[in-house]
Structures are given as C-alpha cells and as structure tokens.
Amino acid sequence: MEYVNPEGLRLDGRRPMEMRQLRAEIGVVSRADGSAVFEMGNTKVIAAVYGPREVQNKSQQMSDQALVRCEYSMANFSTGERKRKPKGDRRSTEISLVIRQTMEACILTDQMPRTQIDIFVQVLQADGGTRSACINAATLALADAGIPMRDLVTSCSAGYLNSTPLLDLNYVEDGAGGPDVTVGILPKLDKVTLLQMDAKLPMDTLESVMQLAAEGCKAVANYIREILLEHTKQLEVRRGT
Ligand code: UDP
C-alpha cells in the first residue's frame, strides 16, 4: 500500500514531517486537583491528577520522595477495533508503567515526601499515538495541579514507511507494520526520557526517525507552553489582578 503518494502527501493529506492538529483544554474535571484534555488529530485523551495527598497504602509510603501512580485505560467507545480489553490487559499495564516512569522523570518527587500523586489517563478516541497524547495530557494536568516539575515532558511518535520518515503516525499508518518510534523529552533540559520502538528499523535510519519524533516533541512543548500561558492569563483575569 502507498502511504505517501507521488505528490508527497499522506493518506490524511499531511506532509511527511507534519504533525496532526493539536488541541488542549485545562481544568476539565472539577473534582480533580488538575486535569486536561489533549487531542492530536482524531486521538483524544483526558488526564486527571490527584495529589500530592496522603499515601493510601502505608506500606508503600516513602520517607524521602512522593509515590507516583499512573493508570492508563481506553474508554469502551474509544475504538471500533477493540483487539484487547480496555483496562487491565498487558498493553494497558505496560503503557501505565511507561507513562508513570516518564512523568516521574519530570516531577520533583523529593519535594513531596510521604505523599502520593495519582495520574489517571483515559483514551476517549483512539487513532494512533495514544501513549504520546496521554503523556502530553498528564503534563498539562500536573501543571494544573501545581505539582512541582523540573521541566515539562512532551511526547510524539514517528515512523518509517515507503522509505520516508513520517511524523506522528495515525492508526492506519501505525498498523502498516513499519517501525513506530515513540519519544519523550524534557525540552528545556534537552533530555530524552522515553524511547520505545516496535518493529525493526535499519540503524542508519533510526537516528533520523528519532530526531523527527524529538522535533515533534518540541513543537508539542511550544504548544503546551502557549496553553499554560493562556490559562494563567485567564486565571488572572478571573481573580481581577
Ligand atoms: N488500538 C485499538 N484497540 C486496542 C489497542 C490499540 O484500536 O485495543 C489502536 C489505537 O488507535 C491505538 C493504535 O491501535 O492508538 C496503536 O496502538 P499502540 O499499541 O501502538 O499504542 P499507541 O500508538 O496508541 O501509543
């Protein structure tokens, strides 16, 4: 199948290095300490953060740092093509772990000893790249909750189809059987905190695909900064300052 046509356009009309449309909203779950919706094209996820709060299971309490927990799930209606269970299966467990480790790299856990931070992320609409969208939503939700972080953490994926590196794969491109490289970065510190790949990729192309995904992460970081700035301005207006 042709994933990039002779005019250089992908199936959804994007250029190879073009990301899907981003959209975000902060403060969507009023009971949570922080929350956000994040969309990358037709992939739409929601994140809610609770904490720092008392550790529920005292045996897990740590005297020198906060306990970070993360739960990833897919809503029953998020996809027409359910291959696995929406929650509690191996894929969800793995993605929960990956997101937790990625978020832990940016949270200043040592500033909140003996507490617990819960991050819930749920896929509302799945069209590829849900783990990246969840990381981006979790970053916004953590910022909304006022959790101290050393940097933002943002994520994006890139693939390699028809001998062309492609940014931010959608479901059809993801299912093409080619490599899918998901990267997470701390943009200000210029550090990679997450690198995952499925399928094989020649060594000489790995660098360029990874670089492309990292560029996508930086574009997401710029967008997230804009959204946070906008949100802060709105809060100031509401407070009348
Ligand atoms: N997907 C699905 N049902 C499932 C699992 C995955 O429809 O039970 C779709 C969904 O669109 C997802 C894509 O397959 O985004 C790719 O899944 P993958 O495991 O590669 O993770 P993701 O790219 O979402 O991080």
Side-chain angles (χ1 to χ4, degrees):
M1 182 157 160
E2 196 179 60
Y3 292 94
V4 183
N5 72 14
E7 284 82 47
L9 296 177
R10 290 153 73 173
L11 296 171
D12 57 8
R14 281 184 291 157
R15 299 264 167 208
M17 306 214 175
E18 196 178 328
M19 188 147 52
R20 291 176 289 181
Q21 179 89 37
L22 302 179
R23 196 190 81 85
E25 201 180 327
I26 298 179
V28 290
V29 181
S30 55
R31 288 290 303 273
D33 294 309
S35 60
V37 156
F38 199 87
E39 292 177 33
M40 301 175 86
N42 291 325
T43 289
K44 181 174 185 171
V45 306
I46 187 166
V49 166
Y50 290 85
R53 61 183 178 182
E54 209 178 309
V55 180
Q56 279 163 356
N57 181 349
K58 288 284 180 253
S59 66
Q60 292 181 328
Q61 180 169 301
M62 287 178 280
S63 59
D64 56 345
Q65 57 177 297
L67 169 73
V68 179
R69 299 200 315 180
C70 179
E71 189 181 297
Y72 164 100
S73 59
M74 290 179 83
N76 289 334
F77 53 81
S78 64
T79 171
E81 305 206 26
R82 164 88 19 74
K83 288 170 244 155
R84 288 144 247 168
K85 284 193 289 175
K87 201 176 139 183
D89 63 330
R90 268 180 62 186
R91 176 178 174 273
S92 304
T93 306
E94 183 232 309
I95 297 182
S96 300
L97 179 77
V98 163
I99 298 176
R100 178 174 67 75
Q101 286 172 341
T102 307
M103 303 325 289
E104 253 176 349
C106 81
I107 300 173
L108 294 167
T109 50
D110 53 346
Q111 288 192 8
M112 297 160 284
R114 291 178 292 277
T115 66
Q116 168 175 331
I117 298 167
D118 290 300
I119 305 169
F120 297 96
V121 283
Q122 184 162 44
V123 180
L124 301 176
Q125 210 169 270
D127 186 27
T130 62
R131 77 193 70 200
S132 286
C134 286
I135 289 170
N136 299 329
T139 293
L140 276 171
L142 286 167
D144 184 34
I147 307 268
M149 293 189 276
R150 49 176 62 84
D151 196 354
L152 298 172
V153 55
T154 58
S155 176
C156 192
S157 72
Y160 191 75
L161 291 171
N162 298 147
S163 313
T164 316
L166 301 178
L167 182 61
D168 188 22
L169 302 185
N170 64 23
Y171 176 61
V172 178
E173 292 169 334
D174 189 303
D180 178 13
V181 179
T182 302
V183 172
I185 62 161
L186 296 174
K188 211 171 60 188
L189 302 173
D190 206 16
K191 284 207 162 106
V192 172
T193 57
L194 164 70
L195 178 62
Q196 277 197 302
M197 181 169 77
D198 46 28
K200 285 184 186 163
L201 187 62
M203 256 328 258
D204 50 341
T205 45
L206 174 67
E207 184 89 1
S208 59
V209 175
M210 207 184 124
Q211 197 57 42
L212 182 60
E215 289 303 321
C217 294
K218 285 182 192 159
V220 171
N222 289 338
Y223 177 72
I224 283 185
R225 276 194 206 101
E226 270 174 39
I227 291 289
L228 287 172
L229 201 64
E230 179 84 9
H231 185 67
T232 313
K233 278 187 195 153
Q234 279 174 11
L235 287 179
E236 280 171 0
V237 170
R238 259 183 253 156
R239 284 194 197 118
T241 50

